[in-house]
Amino acid sequence: MNFYEFGDETNPIMVLIHGVIQPWNSMMEEIEYFRGDYHIYAVELNGHTQDKSTAFKSLEAEAKEIEEFFFQKGINQVEVLCGFSMGGAIAHVVWKNQRLKVRNLIMDGAPLVPYPKMMDTFMTKNYLDIIHKSKARDAKTLENFEKNFLPKKYLDSYLKLADNMSDESLRNIVHSASTSALYTIIKNDSRILYLHGTKMNEIYSKKSAKLLKKAYPEAEIICYNGKAHLECAIYEPQVWCKDVRAFLEER
């Protein structure tokens, strides 16, 4: 796991956690937008490191490593903890642990309901296929990259990630995310924002948003009608950032 810092150290802390098979720098638009107001820590999760191969074990293990990083720096509170997809599930674990105080929890498409075994198997097979073909530099896979996953400017970073990702890490990533759940309702004064789209690949995000709102009625939900998983954050980051800023500036 690696951490990258941006912005003035005297500003409130914002932590950003990327999603499955996404390079950490795919969050650069969000980093640039908020770096004037926050001291930003961008997390590069295990199993996704571009400089060397690292092992992803579980959401809980990733959450603990993030907590320990801040404790070692003498930090026990962050202003904003934000995670995308699986990164949102990890952010939820950090928040739920209550070891690191979080004033604002933001999750985009985070899985907070468990997936059926069949879906776990399908997703694992699909992600393994994508990573294997990416390592082989399969032309069709790379051609679909910009259209279906990330802007082309992140391709080189993604390929470094893919080259270092092991099958074991990927299986752990999918299984850990697929069993993620909002099991325990906790008392917490954090403000919560959950964002999601409405297309087919957002079915579990929509269920997660519904469950979260039921558990925490004060939570704010933003629904991007007609958008796919993380589509707004990735392809329309200025819209996403303005919506998040509006939430953060509410009092």
Side-chain angles (χ1 to χ4, degrees):
M1 181 181 290
N2 295 315
F3 294 82
Y4 301 92
E5 294 184 52
F6 303 86
D8 191 330
E9 292 185 0
T10 63
N11 284 336
I13 294 172
M14 173 183 280
V15 182
L16 299 177
I17 311 174
H18 63 81
V20 179
I21 66 171
Q22 290 186 321
W24 75 268
N25 45 321
S26 64
M27 304 182 293
M28 281 308 302
E29 296 283 351
E30 287 80 6
I31 291 169
E32 291 300 326
Y33 187 92
F34 286 108
R35 69 182 297 169
D37 300 309
Y38 295 92
H39 181 203
I40 298 175
Y41 290 87
V43 182
E44 184 176 39
L45 297 170
N46 289 313
H48 296 76
T49 43
Q50 298 174 40
D51 57 341
K52 61 183 178 180
S53 181
T54 50
F56 184 105
K57 296 180 180 179
S58 67
L59 300 181
E60 291 74 19
E62 295 297 295
K64 183 177 180 181
E65 192 165 341
I66 291 170
E67 292 167 355
E68 291 301 324
F69 169 82
F70 286 107
F71 295 155
Q72 290 175 13
K73 294 180 73 67
I75 297 170
N76 57 22
Q77 175 176 305
V78 300
E79 183 70 17
V80 183
L81 177 60
C82 176
F84 302 88
S85 189
M86 175 194 66
I90 293 171
H92 176 257
V93 174
V94 171
W95 173 78
K96 185 173 62 175
N97 288 346
Q98 299 192 78
R99 298 176 68 213
L100 187 66
K101 183 174 176 57
V102 178
R103 294 195 62 188
N104 296 278
L105 173 65
I106 299 173
M107 298 172 284
D108 190 333
L112 302 179
V113 294
Y115 299 168
K117 176 64 176 178
M118 181 176 65
M119 181 58 70
D120 186 319
T121 301
F122 170 79
M123 290 176 66
T124 300
K125 183 178 183 299
N126 185 51
Y127 278 125
L128 284 171
D129 184 58
I130 292 171
I131 289 297
H132 291 167
K133 288 182 177 178
S134 296
K135 288 181 177 182
R137 303 303 192 260
D138 176 72
K140 186 174 181 180
T141 299
L142 301 186
E143 182 181 332
N144 288 334
F145 179 90
E146 182 178 2
K147 179 180 178 182
N148 300 317
F149 188 51
L150 285 171
K152 190 174 182 179
K153 62 184 177 181
Y154 299 120
L155 178 59
D156 287 345
S157 296
Y158 163 73
L159 289 175
K160 291 177 183 176
L161 175 162
D163 288 343
N164 284 325
M165 180 170 283
S166 69
D167 288 4
E168 182 180 4
S169 281
L170 193 46
R171 290 190 180 96
N172 289 340
I173 288 165
V174 176
H175 180 67
S176 189
S178 71
T179 57
S180 174
L182 194 137
Y183 288 122
T184 306
I185 310 303
I186 63 173
K187 292 183 178 180
N188 197 301
D189 59 359
S190 304
R191 299 176 67 241
I192 302 174
L193 172 64
Y194 191 99
L195 309 98
H196 68 91
T198 60
K199 287 191 174 180
M200 189 62 186
N201 64 353
E202 281 287 72
I203 182 171
Y204 291 105
S205 298
K206 290 190 288 184
K207 289 182 178 180
S208 295
K210 184 176 181 180
L211 177 64
L212 185 72
K213 188 67 174 178
K214 182 178 180 180
Y216 302 98
E218 297 302 315
E220 184 171 329
I221 310 296
I222 294 180
C223 175
Y224 293 116
N225 192 39
K227 300 296 184 183
H229 189 61
L230 299 186
E231 181 178 346
C232 196
I234 292 170
Y235 290 99
E236 300 178 40
Q238 291 299 312
V239 172
W240 190 94
C241 288
K242 288 178 181 178
D243 287 341
V244 169
R245 180 183 290 280
F247 167 79
L248 293 173
E249 291 180 348
E250 290 175 0
R251 291 293 182 269

